[in-house]
Amino acid sequence: MKYRILGKTGMNVSEIGFGAWALGGQWGEQNDNDSIAALHKAIDLGVNFIDTAAGYGDGRSEQVIAKVLKERKEEIIVATKAPPTVGHWPPSPYCKSEERYPEKYLRESVEERLRFLGVDCLDILQLHTWTRAWNSNPVPFEILADLKKEGKIRFIGVSTPEHDQDSVIDLIKKGYVDVVQLIYNIFEQEPASELLPMAKEYGAGTIIRVVFDEGSLTGKFIKQTKFDDDDFRSSFFEGDRLQRTIDRVEKIRTDISNFNLSLPHVALKFALQHEAVSTVIPGIRSIRQAEMNAAVSDAADLDASLMNILSKHFWRRGIWYGGK
């Protein structure tokens, strides 16, 4: 396993992290024993960075992680998230930060995160979405800065809103965040134009999510693939979206066929090859997935000609939200 510095935090993190959304049970049924086994295997393989959130199973993911932390002697860095109060997701231009992230609520959420993870201080607390409407007066980050001074949080982060990822650039430039979590993959390459370069220039660590495009870039989906009603992907890939995505994935598979590399391998390496990327957090829910993802770290970088091919698969599809 290779390690990288997470921006100005100075923390040395595994370049392959552990995305723990599925441990909350929102990607189909998930057994906690399988989750615990996957976490242990990932740590055995050198993974020392885990990303979770309050919203992943209403704290279930955090509590599963806490059980594993108690059994390990290694220093494991955990990043979690506090969501806004109930309302538009992502926040609308008319939402007010003091209503979606009021101080009392944020403090209570931080205390709950500490309790669920079984720690005295959170390594990284991220606000779980944002809107540029609040950039001129980002009060929630001032509240988190106070919590940082009080020893409740080591570092502050933000998870980008999918429709407007560049909205957090202002936060990076003004030093409100130590870490930013964003979507960057073979289809979603827009962050390479400004967001990633700005993160590097201002020393913000970067956590890359959705590196497999909600699973499509593993190449495992077929036209007949069905998702359970409580699986996030049932709405993300509703209607003709799944078939359109599969068609795009097959074009990538054809283009990389001469390089003798698997599609998941290429997807992970593509993201890791950007110089501003600190760590990628593929979703992991089994021992096998932990083994396959961790193994990619020690492999050679992708050939420049392959990176050029992949750059042509940039897809301006917008972001799909569901609600059936």
Side-chain angles (χ1 to χ4, degrees), residues 42-275:
I43 295 169
D44 289 342
L45 294 171
V47 172
N48 75 345
F49 184 83
I50 302 171
D51 178 82
T52 184
Y56 298 169
D58 292 326
R60 177 183 170 189
S61 175
E62 291 174 321
Q63 292 173 81
V64 169
I65 291 166
K67 293 178 182 178
V68 173
L69 294 180
K70 290 179 181 178
E71 299 175 6
R72 304 298 301 212
K73 295 181 180 179
E74 300 91 337
E75 180 181 359
I76 308 299
I77 299 162
V78 179
T80 190
K81 310 179 195 74
T85 56
V86 176
H88 290 287
W89 184 288
S92 82
Y94 310 105
C95 291
K96 297 180 179 179
S97 66
E98 62 268 26
E99 294 176 354
R100 301 302 303 279
Y101 287 117
E103 181 169 3
K104 182 175 182 293
Y105 165 78
L106 272 178
R107 286 183 172 277
E108 289 174 349
S109 182
V110 166
E111 291 299 330
E112 185 176 67
R113 310 281 68 72
L114 290 167
R115 185 169 69 255
F116 282 3
L117 286 167
V119 296
D120 296 322
C121 178
L122 300 175
D123 293 320
I124 302 170
L125 190 284
Q126 305 158 88
L127 293 187
H128 204 170
T129 199
W130 188 251
T131 170
R132 67 173 61 239
W134 301 337
N135 280 355
S136 61
N137 189 28
V139 174
F141 287 107
E142 295 174 359
I143 297 168
L144 295 186
D146 288 339
L147 286 162
K148 187 175 180 180
K149 293 176 183 176
E150 294 166 21
K152 301 289 186 179
I153 302 168
R154 291 178 66 191
F155 298 105
I156 298 168
V158 64
S159 183
T160 59
E162 289 87 340
H163 279 100
D164 187 15
Q165 294 205 100
D166 286 349
S167 66
V168 304
I169 289 176
D170 198 46
L171 301 175
I172 293 171
K173 288 181 176 180
K174 293 181 178 179
Y176 284 106
V177 295
D178 304 301
V179 176
V180 61
Q181 182 174 141
L182 64 141
I183 299 171
Y184 179 58
N185 59 46
I186 296 171
F187 289 148
E188 178 50 86
Q189 300 184 35
E190 184 63 29
S193 62
E194 186 174 14
L195 180 49
L196 284 168
M198 286 296 101
K200 180 175 175 56
E201 180 177 345
Y202 288 88
T206 58
I207 304 168
I208 305 303
R209 71 183 192 270
V210 199
V211 71
F212 291 141
D213 186 54
E214 311 299 7
S216 76
L217 287 171
T218 64
K220 63 184 179 182
F221 297 158
I222 59 175
K223 181 179 181 180
Q224 293 75 25
T225 297
K226 299 293 183 185
F227 303 104
D228 294 336
D229 289 341
D230 61 351
D231 188 320
F232 161 79
R233 294 167 295 181
S234 67
S235 57
F236 188 83
F237 290 116
E238 68 182 346
D240 69 345
R241 296 171 180 175
L242 180 61
Q243 187 57 56
R244 289 167 59 198
T245 303
I246 290 171
D247 291 343
R248 292 266 184 168
V249 169
E250 288 309 307
K251 290 178 181 178
I252 297 173
R253 198 195 303 273
T254 297
D255 282 353
I256 69 173
S257 60
N258 292 332
F259 292 89
N260 196 32
L261 296 170
S262 72
L263 190 54
H265 180 112
V266 169
L268 285 170
K269 279 296 187 182
F270 171 82
L272 285 170
Q273 224 138 307
H274 196 290
E275 62 178 358

